Coordinates of all heavy atoms in Angstrom, one line a residue:
I7 N -45.1 -69.8 6.3 CA -45.1 -71.0 7.1 C -43.7 -71.6 7.1 O -43.2 -72.1 8.1 CB -46.2 -72.0 6.8 CG1 -47.5 -71.3 7.1 CG2 -46.0 -73.3 7.5 CD1 -48.7 -72.2 6.6
I8 N -43.1 -71.7 5.9 CA -41.8 -72.3 5.9 C -40.7 -71.5 6.7 O -39.9 -72.0 7.4 CB -41.3 -72.4 4.3 CG1 -42.2 -73.4 3.7 CG2 -39.9 -72.8 4.3 CD1 -42.0 -73.4 2.2
T9 N -40.8 -70.1 6.5 CA -39.8 -69.3 7.2 C -40.0 -69.4 8.7 O -39.1 -69.4 9.4 CB -39.7 -67.9 6.7 OG1 -41.0 -67.4 6.8 CG2 -39.3 -67.8 5.3
G10 N -41.2 -69.5 9.1 CA -41.6 -69.6 10.5 C -41.0 -70.9 11.1 O -40.6 -70.9 12.2
G11 N -41.2 -71.9 10.3 CA -40.7 -73.2 10.8 C -39.2 -73.3 11.0 O -38.7 -73.9 11.9
L12 N -38.5 -72.6 10.0 CA -37.1 -72.5 10.0 C -36.6 -71.6 11.3 O -35.6 -72.1 12.0 CB -36.5 -71.9 8.7 CG -36.6 -72.7 7.5 CD1 -36.2 -72.0 6.3 CD2 -35.9 -74.1 7.7
L13 N -37.4 -70.7 11.6 CA -37.0 -69.9 12.7 C -37.3 -70.6 14.1 O -36.5 -70.6 15.0 CB -37.8 -68.5 12.8 CG -37.4 -67.5 11.8 CD1 -38.4 -66.3 11.8 CD2 -36.0 -66.9 12.2
Y14 N -38.4 -71.4 14.1 CA -38.7 -72.2 15.2 C -37.7 -73.3 15.4 O -37.3 -73.5 16.6 CB -40.1 -72.9 15.0 CG -40.4 -74.0 16.0 CD1 -40.8 -73.5 17.2 CD2 -40.3 -75.2 15.7 CE1 -41.1 -74.6 18.1 CE2 -40.6 -76.2 16.6 CZ -41.0 -75.8 17.9 OH -41.4 -76.8 18.8
M15 N -37.2 -73.9 14.4 CA -36.1 -75.0 14.6 C -34.8 -74.4 15.2 O -34.1 -75.1 15.8 CB -35.8 -75.6 13.3 CG -37.0 -76.4 12.7 SD -36.8 -76.9 10.9 CE -35.1 -77.5 10.9
R16 N -34.7 -73.1 15.2 CA -33.5 -72.4 15.8 C -33.5 -72.7 17.2 O -32.4 -72.9 17.9 CB -33.4 -71.1 15.3 CG -32.3 -70.2 15.8 CD -32.4 -68.9 15.2 NE -33.6 -68.2 15.7 CZ -33.6 -66.8 16.0 NH1 -32.5 -66.1 15.9 NH2 -34.8 -66.3 16.4
A17 N -34.5 -72.6 17.8 CA -34.6 -72.6 19.4 C -36.1 -73.0 19.7 O -36.8 -72.2 20.4 CB -34.3 -71.2 19.9
P18 N -36.4 -74.2 19.5 CA -37.9 -74.7 19.8 C -38.2 -74.6 21.4 O -39.3 -74.2 21.7 CB -37.8 -76.2 19.4 CG -36.5 -76.5 19.2 CD -35.6 -75.3 19.0
E19 N -37.4 -74.9 22.3 CA -37.6 -74.8 23.7 C -38.0 -73.4 24.1 O -38.9 -73.1 24.9 CB -36.5 -75.3 24.5 CG -36.3 -76.8 24.4 CD -35.2 -77.0 23.2 OE1 -34.6 -76.0 22.7 OE2 -35.2 -78.1 22.7
A20 N -37.1 -72.4 23.6 CA -37.4 -71.0 23.9 C -38.8 -70.5 23.3 O -39.5 -69.8 24.1 CB -36.3 -70.1 23.4
Y21 N -39.2 -71.0 22.1 CA -40.3 -70.5 21.5 C -41.6 -71.1 22.2 O -42.5 -70.4 22.4 CB -40.4 -70.8 20.0 CG -39.6 -69.8 19.2 CD1 -38.5 -70.2 18.4 CD2 -39.9 -68.4 19.3 CE1 -37.8 -69.4 17.7 CE2 -39.1 -67.5 18.6 CZ -38.0 -68.0 17.7 OH -37.4 -67.1 17.0
L22 N -41.5 -72.4 22.6 CA -42.6 -73.0 23.2 C -42.9 -72.6 24.5 O -44.0 -72.7 25.0 CB -42.4 -74.6 23.2 CG -42.6 -75.3 21.8 CD1 -42.4 -76.7 21.9 CD2 -44.0 -75.0 21.2
S23 N -42.0 -72.0 25.2 CA -42.1 -71.5 26.5 C -42.5 -70.0 26.5 O -42.7 -69.3 27.6 CB -40.9 -71.7 27.4 OG -39.9 -70.9 26.8
N24 N -42.6 -69.4 25.3 CA -42.9 -67.9 25.1 C -44.4 -67.7 24.9 O -44.9 -68.2 23.8 CB -41.9 -67.4 24.0 CG -42.1 -65.9 23.9 OD1 -43.1 -65.2 24.3 ND2 -41.0 -65.3 23.5
P25 N -45.1 -67.1 25.8 CA -46.5 -66.9 25.5 C -46.8 -66.1 24.2 O -47.9 -66.3 23.6 CB -46.9 -66.2 26.8 CG -45.9 -66.3 27.7 CD -44.6 -66.6 27.1
T26 N -46.0 -65.2 23.9 CA -46.1 -64.4 22.7 C -46.1 -65.3 21.4 O -46.9 -65.0 20.6 CB -45.1 -63.3 22.6 OG1 -45.1 -62.5 23.8 CG2 -45.2 -62.4 21.4
F27 N -45.2 -66.2 21.4 CA -45.1 -67.1 20.3 C -46.3 -67.9 20.3 O -46.9 -68.2 19.1 CB -43.9 -68.0 20.5 CG -43.8 -69.1 19.4 CD1 -43.2 -68.7 18.1 CD2 -44.1 -70.4 19.7 CE1 -43.2 -69.7 17.1 CE2 -44.1 -71.4 18.6 CZ -43.6 -71.0 17.4
L28 N -46.8 -68.4 21.3 CA -48.0 -69.2 21.4 C -49.3 -68.4 20.8 O -50.1 -68.9 20.1 CB -48.3 -69.9 22.7 CG -47.2 -70.6 23.2 CD1 -47.5 -71.2 24.7 CD2 -47.0 -71.9 22.3
V29 N -49.4 -67.2 21.3 CA -50.5 -66.3 20.8 C -50.3 -66.1 19.3 O -51.3 -66.2 18.5 CB -50.5 -65.0 21.5 CG1 -51.4 -64.0 20.8 CG2 -50.8 -65.1 23.0
K30 N -49.1 -65.9 18.7 CA -48.9 -65.8 17.3 C -49.3 -67.0 16.5 O -50.0 -67.0 15.5 CB -47.4 -65.3 17.0 CG -47.2 -65.2 15.5 CD -45.9 -64.8 15.1 CE -45.8 -64.5 13.7 NZ -44.5 -64.0 13.3
M31 N -49.0 -68.2 17.1 CA -49.4 -69.4 16.4 C -50.8 -69.7 16.4 O -51.5 -70.2 15.5 CB -48.7 -70.6 17.1 CG -47.1 -70.7 16.8 SD -46.7 -70.8 15.1 CE -46.3 -69.0 14.8
A32 N -51.5 -69.3 17.5 CA -53.0 -69.3 17.5 C -53.6 -68.3 16.5 O -54.7 -68.7 15.9 CB -53.5 -68.9 18.9
A33 N -53.1 -67.2 16.3 CA -53.5 -66.2 15.3 C -53.4 -66.8 14.0 O -54.2 -66.7 13.0 CB -52.8 -64.9 15.5
V34 N -52.1 -67.4 13.7 CA -51.9 -68.0 12.4 C -52.8 -69.1 12.1 O -53.4 -69.2 10.9 CB -50.4 -68.4 12.2 CG1 -50.0 -69.3 11.0 CG2 -49.5 -67.2 12.2
A35 N -53.2 -69.9 13.1 CA -54.1 -71.0 12.9 C -55.5 -70.6 12.5 O -56.2 -71.1 11.7 CB -54.1 -71.9 14.1
A36 N -55.9 -69.4 13.2 CA -57.2 -68.8 13.0 C -57.2 -68.3 11.6 O -58.3 -68.4 10.9 CB -57.5 -67.7 14.0
L37 N -56.1 -67.6 11.0 CA -56.0 -67.2 9.7 C -56.1 -68.3 8.7 O -56.7 -68.2 7.6 CB -54.7 -66.5 9.6 CG -54.7 -65.0 10.2 CD1 -53.3 -64.5 10.2 CD2 -55.7 -64.1 9.5
I38 N -55.4 -69.4 9.0 CA -55.5 -70.6 8.0 C -57.0 -71.0 7.9 O -57.5 -71.3 6.8 CB -54.5 -71.7 8.5 CG1 -53.1 -71.2 8.3 CG2 -54.8 -73.0 7.8 CD1 -52.0 -72.0 8.9
I39 N -57.7 -71.3 9.1 CA -59.0 -71.7 9.0 C -59.9 -70.7 8.3 O -60.7 -71.1 7.5 CB -59.5 -71.9 10.5 CG1 -58.8 -73.1 11.1 CG2 -61.0 -72.1 10.5 CD1 -58.9 -73.3 12.6
N40 N -59.6 -69.4 8.6 CA -60.4 -68.3 8.0 C -60.3 -68.3 6.4 O -61.1 -67.9 5.7 CB -60.1 -67.0 8.5 CG -61.1 -65.9 8.2 OD1 -62.3 -66.2 8.3 ND2 -60.6 -64.7 7.9
T41 N -59.0 -68.8 6.0 CA -58.8 -68.8 4.5 C -59.9 -69.8 3.8 O -60.4 -69.5 2.8 CB -57.4 -69.4 4.3 OG1 -56.5 -68.4 4.8 CG2 -57.1 -69.6 2.8
Y42 N -60.1 -70.9 4.5 CA -61.1 -71.9 4.0 C -62.5 -71.3 4.1 O -63.4 -71.5 3.2 CB -61.0 -73.2 4.7 CG -59.8 -73.9 4.4 CD1 -58.7 -74.0 5.4 CD2 -59.5 -74.4 3.3 CE1 -57.5 -74.5 5.1 CE2 -58.3 -75.1 2.9 CZ -57.3 -75.1 3.8 OH -56.2 -75.7 3.6
V43 N -62.8 -70.4 5.1 CA -64.1 -69.8 5.2 C -64.2 -68.8 4.0 O -65.3 -68.8 3.3 CB -64.3 -69.1 6.5 CG1 -65.5 -68.4 6.6 CG2 -64.3 -70.2 7.7
I44 N -63.2 -68.0 3.9 CA -63.2 -67.0 2.8 C -63.4 -67.6 1.4 O -64.2 -67.3 0.6 CB -62.0 -66.2 2.7 CG1 -61.9 -65.2 4.0 CG2 -61.9 -65.3 1.5 CD1 -60.6 -64.5 4.2
E45 N -62.8 -68.8 1.2 CA -62.9 -69.5 -0.1 C -64.3 -70.0 -0.2 O -64.9 -69.9 -1.4 CB -62.0 -70.8 -0.1 CG -62.0 -71.6 -1.4 CD -61.0 -72.6 -1.4 OE1 -59.9 -72.6 -0.8 OE2 -61.3 -73.7 -2.1
R46 N -65.0 -70.5 0.7 CA -66.5 -70.8 0.7 C -67.4 -69.7 0.5 O -68.5 -69.7 -0.2 CB -66.9 -71.6 2.0 CG -66.5 -73.0 2.0 CD -67.2 -73.8 3.2 NE -68.6 -73.7 3.0 CZ -69.4 -73.5 4.0 NH1 -69.0 -73.2 5.3 NH2 -70.7 -73.4 3.8
L47 N -67.0 -68.5 1.0 CA -67.8 -67.2 0.9 C -67.6 -66.5 -0.3 O -68.5 -65.7 -0.7 CB -67.6 -66.4 2.1 CG -67.9 -66.9 3.4 CD1 -67.5 -66.0 4.6 CD2 -69.5 -67.2 3.5
S48 N -66.5 -66.7 -1.1 CA -66.2 -66.0 -2.2 C -67.3 -65.9 -3.3 O -67.7 -64.9 -3.8 CB -64.9 -66.4 -2.9 OG -63.8 -66.0 -2.1
P49 N -67.9 -67.1 -3.6 CA -69.0 -67.0 -4.6 C -70.2 -66.2 -4.2 O -70.8 -65.4 -5.0 CB -69.3 -68.4 -4.8 CG -68.2 -69.3 -4.3 CD -67.6 -68.5 -3.3
L50 N -70.6 -66.3 -2.9 CA -71.6 -65.4 -2.4 C -71.4 -64.0 -2.4 O -72.1 -63.2 -3.0 CB -71.9 -65.9 -1.0 CG -72.9 -65.0 -0.1 CD1 -74.3 -65.3 -0.6 CD2 -72.8 -65.4 1.4
A51 N -70.0 -63.6 -2.2 CA -69.7 -62.1 -2.1 C -69.7 -61.6 -3.5 O -69.8 -60.4 -3.6 CB -68.4 -62.0 -1.4
I52 N -69.4 -62.4 -4.5 CA -69.2 -61.8 -5.8 C -70.4 -61.9 -6.7 O -70.5 -61.2 -7.7 CB -68.0 -62.4 -6.6 CG1 -68.0 -63.8 -6.8 CG2 -66.6 -62.0 -5.9 CD1 -67.0 -64.4 -7.7
S53 N -71.4 -62.8 -6.2 CA -72.6 -63.0 -7.1 C -73.8 -62.1 -6.7 O -74.6 -61.9 -7.6 CB -73.0 -64.5 -7.0 OG -73.5 -64.7 -5.7
R54 N -73.7 -61.6 -5.5 CA -74.9 -60.7 -5.0 C -74.4 -59.4 -4.5 O -73.3 -59.5 -3.8 CB -75.7 -61.4 -4.1 CG -76.4 -62.6 -4.8 CD -77.2 -63.6 -4.0 NE -77.8 -63.0 -2.8 CZ -78.1 -63.8 -1.8 NH1 -77.8 -65.1 -1.7 NH2 -78.6 -63.3 -0.6
S55 N -75.1 -58.5 -4.4 CA -74.7 -57.2 -3.7 C -74.9 -57.4 -2.2 O -75.7 -58.3 -1.8 CB -75.6 -56.0 -4.1 OG -77.0 -56.2 -3.6
Y56 N -74.1 -56.7 -1.5 CA -74.3 -56.8 0.0 C -75.7 -56.5 0.5 O -76.1 -57.2 1.4 CB -73.2 -55.8 0.7 CG -73.1 -56.0 2.2 CD1 -72.4 -57.1 2.7 CD2 -73.6 -55.1 3.0 CE1 -72.2 -57.3 4.1 CE2 -73.5 -55.3 4.4 CZ -72.8 -56.4 4.9 OH -72.7 -56.4 6.3
A57 N -76.3 -55.6 0.0 CA -77.7 -55.2 0.4 C -78.6 -56.3 0.2 O -79.7 -56.4 1.0 CB -78.2 -54.0 -0.3
S58 N -78.4 -57.3 -0.7 CA -79.4 -58.3 -1.0 C -79.1 -59.6 -0.2 O -79.9 -60.6 -0.2 CB -79.4 -58.8 -2.4 OG -78.1 -59.4 -2.8
L59 N -78.0 -59.6 0.7 CA -77.8 -60.7 1.4 C -78.6 -60.8 2.7 O -79.0 -59.8 3.3 CB -76.3 -60.7 1.9 CG -75.3 -60.7 0.8 CD1 -73.8 -60.6 1.3 CD2 -75.3 -62.0 -0.1
S60 N -78.8 -61.9 3.2 CA -79.6 -62.1 4.4 C -78.8 -61.6 5.6 O -77.5 -61.5 5.4 CB -80.0 -63.6 4.7 OG -78.9 -64.3 5.0
D61 N -79.4 -61.5 6.8 CA -78.6 -61.0 7.9 C -77.5 -62.0 8.4 O -76.4 -61.7 8.7 CB -79.6 -60.8 9.2 CG -80.4 -59.6 9.0 OD1 -80.0 -58.7 8.3 OD2 -81.5 -59.5 9.7
T62 N -77.9 -63.3 8.2 CA -76.9 -64.4 8.5 C -75.8 -64.3 7.5 O -74.6 -64.5 8.0 CB -77.6 -65.8 8.4 OG1 -78.7 -65.7 9.3 CG2 -76.6 -66.8 8.9
E63 N -76.1 -64.1 6.2 CA -74.9 -64.1 5.3 C -74.0 -62.8 5.5 O -72.8 -63.0 5.4 CB -75.5 -64.1 3.9 CG -76.1 -65.4 3.5 CD -77.0 -65.3 2.2 OE1 -77.5 -64.1 1.9 OE2 -77.1 -66.2 1.5
R64 N -74.6 -61.7 5.8 CA -73.9 -60.5 6.1 C -73.1 -60.7 7.3 O -71.8 -60.4 7.3 CB -74.8 -59.3 6.3 CG -75.5 -58.9 5.1 CD -76.3 -57.5 5.5 NE -77.3 -57.3 4.5 CZ -78.2 -56.4 4.6 NH1 -78.3 -55.6 5.6 NH2 -79.1 -56.2 3.7
R65 N -73.6 -61.2 8.4 CA -72.9 -61.4 9.7 C -71.6 -62.3 9.3 O -70.6 -62.1 9.9 CB -73.8 -62.1 10.6 CG -73.3 -62.1 12.1 CD -74.3 -62.5 13.2 NE -75.5 -61.8 13.0 CZ -76.7 -62.4 12.6 NH1 -76.7 -63.8 12.4 NH2 -77.8 -61.8 12.7
T66 N -71.8 -63.4 8.6 CA -70.7 -64.4 8.3 C -69.6 -63.6 7.6 O -68.5 -63.9 7.9 CB -71.3 -65.5 7.4 OG1 -72.3 -66.1 8.2 CG2 -70.2 -66.6 7.2
L67 N -69.9 -62.8 6.6 CA -68.9 -62.0 5.9 C -68.1 -61.1 6.8 O -66.9 -60.9 6.9 CB -69.5 -61.3 4.7 CG -69.9 -62.2 3.5 CD1 -70.7 -61.2 2.5 CD2 -68.8 -62.8 2.9
V68 N -68.9 -60.4 7.7 CA -68.4 -59.5 8.6 C -67.4 -60.1 9.6 O -66.4 -59.7 9.8 CB -69.4 -58.5 9.3 CG1 -68.8 -57.8 10.5 CG2 -70.1 -57.7 8.3
V69 N -67.9 -61.3 10.1 CA -67.1 -61.9 11.1 C -65.8 -62.4 10.5 O -64.7 -62.4 11.1 CB -67.9 -63.1 11.7 CG1 -67.0 -64.1 12.6 CG2 -69.0 -62.6 12.7
S70 N -65.9 -63.0 9.3 CA -64.7 -63.4 8.5 C -63.7 -62.3 8.4 O -62.5 -62.4 8.4 CB -65.1 -64.0 7.2 OG -64.0 -64.5 6.4
G71 N -64.3 -61.1 7.9 CA -63.4 -60.0 7.7 C -62.8 -59.5 9.1 O -61.6 -59.1 9.2
A72 N -63.6 -59.6 10.2 CA -62.9 -59.2 11.5 C -61.9 -60.3 12.0 O -60.9 -59.8 12.5 CB -64.2 -59.1 12.6
V73 N -62.2 -61.5 11.7 CA -61.1 -62.5 12.1 C -59.8 -62.3 11.3 O -58.7 -62.3 11.8 CB -61.6 -63.9 11.8 CG1 -60.6 -64.9 11.8 CG2 -62.7 -64.3 12.8
S74 N -59.9 -61.9 10.1 CA -58.8 -61.6 9.2 C -58.0 -60.4 9.7 O -56.8 -60.4 10.0 CB -59.3 -61.3 7.8 OG -58.1 -61.1 6.9
V75 N -58.7 -59.3 10.0 CA -58.0 -58.0 10.5 C -57.4 -58.4 11.9 O -56.2 -58.0 12.1 CB -59.0 -56.9 10.6 CG1 -58.4 -55.7 11.4 CG2 -59.5 -56.5 9.3
A76 N -58.1 -59.0 12.8 CA -57.6 -59.3 14.1 C -56.4 -60.3 14.1 O -55.4 -60.1 14.7 CB -58.7 -59.8 15.0
G77 N -56.6 -61.3 13.2 CA -55.5 -62.3 13.1 C -54.2 -61.7 12.5 O -53.2 -61.9 13.1
W78 N -54.4 -60.9 11.5 CA -53.2 -60.4 10.9 C -52.5 -59.3 11.9 O -51.3 -59.3 12.1 CB -53.4 -59.7 9.5 CG -53.4 -60.7 8.5 CD1 -54.5 -61.2 7.8 CD2 -52.4 -61.4 8.0 NE1 -54.2 -62.1 6.9 CE2 -52.8 -62.3 7.0 CE3 -51.1 -61.5 8.2 CZ2 -52.1 -63.2 6.2 CZ3 -50.2 -62.4 7.5 CH2 -50.8 -63.2 6.5
S79 N -53.3 -58.5 12.5 CA -52.8 -57.5 13.4 C -52.0 -58.2 14.6 O -51.0 -57.9 15.0 CB -54.0 -56.6 14.1 OG -54.6 -56.0 13.0
T80 N -52.7 -59.3 15.2 CA -52.1 -60.1 16.2 C -50.8 -60.7 15.8 O -49.8 -60.6 16.5 CB -53.0 -61.1 16.8 OG1 -54.3 -60.3 17.2 CG2 -52.5 -61.9 17.9
A81 N -50.8 -61.3 14.5 CA -49.6 -62.0 14.1 C -48.5 -61.0 13.9 O -47.2 -61.3 14.3 CB -49.8 -62.8 12.8
I82 N -48.8 -59.8 13.4 CA -47.6 -58.9 13.1 C -47.2 -58.3 14.4 O -45.9 -58.3 14.6 CB -48.2 -57.7 12.1 CG1 -48.5 -58.3 10.8 CG2 -47.3 -56.6 12.2 CD1 -49.2 -57.4 9.9
L83 N -48.1 -58.0 15.4 CA -47.7 -57.5 16.6 C -46.8 -58.4 17.4 O -45.7 -58.1 17.9 CB -48.8 -57.0 17.5 CG -48.5 -56.5 18.8 CD1 -47.7 -55.2 18.8 CD2 -49.8 -56.2 19.6
C84 N -47.3 -59.7 17.5 CA -46.6 -60.7 18.2 C -45.2 -61.0 17.4 O -44.1 -61.1 18.1 CB -47.2 -62.0 18.2 SG -48.7 -62.0 19.3
G85 N -45.1 -61.0 16.1 CA -43.8 -61.1 15.4 C -42.9 -60.0 15.8 O -41.7 -60.2 16.0
Y86 N -43.4 -58.7 15.9 CA -42.5 -57.6 16.3 C -42.0 -57.8 17.8 O -40.9 -57.6 18.0 CB -43.4 -56.3 16.2 CG -42.6 -55.1 16.7 CD1 -41.7 -54.5 15.9 CD2 -42.9 -54.5 17.9 CE1 -41.0 -53.4 16.3 CE2 -42.1 -53.5 18.3 CZ -41.2 -52.8 17.5 OH -40.5 -51.8 18.0
L87 N -42.9 -58.3 18.6 CA -42.5 -58.4 19.9 C -41.5 -59.6 20.2 O -40.8 -59.6 21.2 CB -43.7 -58.7 20.8 CG -44.7 -57.6 21.0 CD1 -46.0 -57.9 21.8 CD2 -44.0 -56.4 21.7
L88 N -41.5 -60.6 19.3 CA -40.5 -61.6 19.3 C -39.2 -61.4 18.9 O -38.3 -62.2 19.0 CB -41.1 -62.9 18.5 CG -42.3 -63.7 19.1 CD1 -42.8 -64.7 18.1 CD2 -41.8 -64.4 20.4
R89 N -38.9 -60.2 18.3 CA -37.6 -59.9 17.7 C -36.6 -59.8 18.8 O -36.7 -59.5 19.9 CB -37.7 -58.6 17.1 CG -38.4 -58.4 15.9 CD -38.4 -57.0 15.3 NE -38.4 -55.9 16.1 CZ -37.6 -54.8 16.0 NH1 -37.0 -54.8 15.0 NH2 -37.7 -53.8 16.8

């Protein structure tokens, strides 16, 4: 976040008008929110086996994992495109 802020300060007008930058920031925001979700789910994930979880609990873990994969993939791709 610090290095991203420093890069942004270099040319804020150019970044704010770039759709790729905005998509990357949305992905980073989703990842930050997902960090809090993962923190809440960690006790559940380590205390019981996946097979013993309810459908809702399983779905929540899978969605959190999917958000993580999609968020990191998007952030990395957008970072590459911003070079």
Side-chain angles (χ1 to χ4, degrees):
I7 293 178
I8 293 171
T9 57
L12 293 173
L13 286 171
Y14 169 78
M15 289 171 46
R16 179 176 64 142
E19 298 85 15
Y21 282 119
L22 286 177
S23 64
N24 187 329
T26 303
F27 176 77
L28 299 176
V29 169
K30 181 175 181 172
M31 291 302 99
V34 170
L37 287 167
I38 291 170
I39 292 167
N40 195 45
T41 299
Y42 294 105
V43 172
I44 290 170
E45 185 176 329
R46 280 193 58 224
L47 296 175
S48 291
L50 174 69
I52 62 174
S53 66
R54 295 174 28 208
S55 69
Y56 187 77
S58 70
L59 299 175
S60 70
D61 287 342
T62 303
E63 292 168 330
R64 287 183 198 174
R65 193 174 310 113
T66 304
L67 289 170
V68 169
V69 168
S70 178
V73 168
S74 187
V75 170
W78 281 110
S79 299
T80 300
I82 290 168
L83 177 63
C84 288
Y86 177 77
L87 294 174
L88 285 170
R89 298 184 315 142

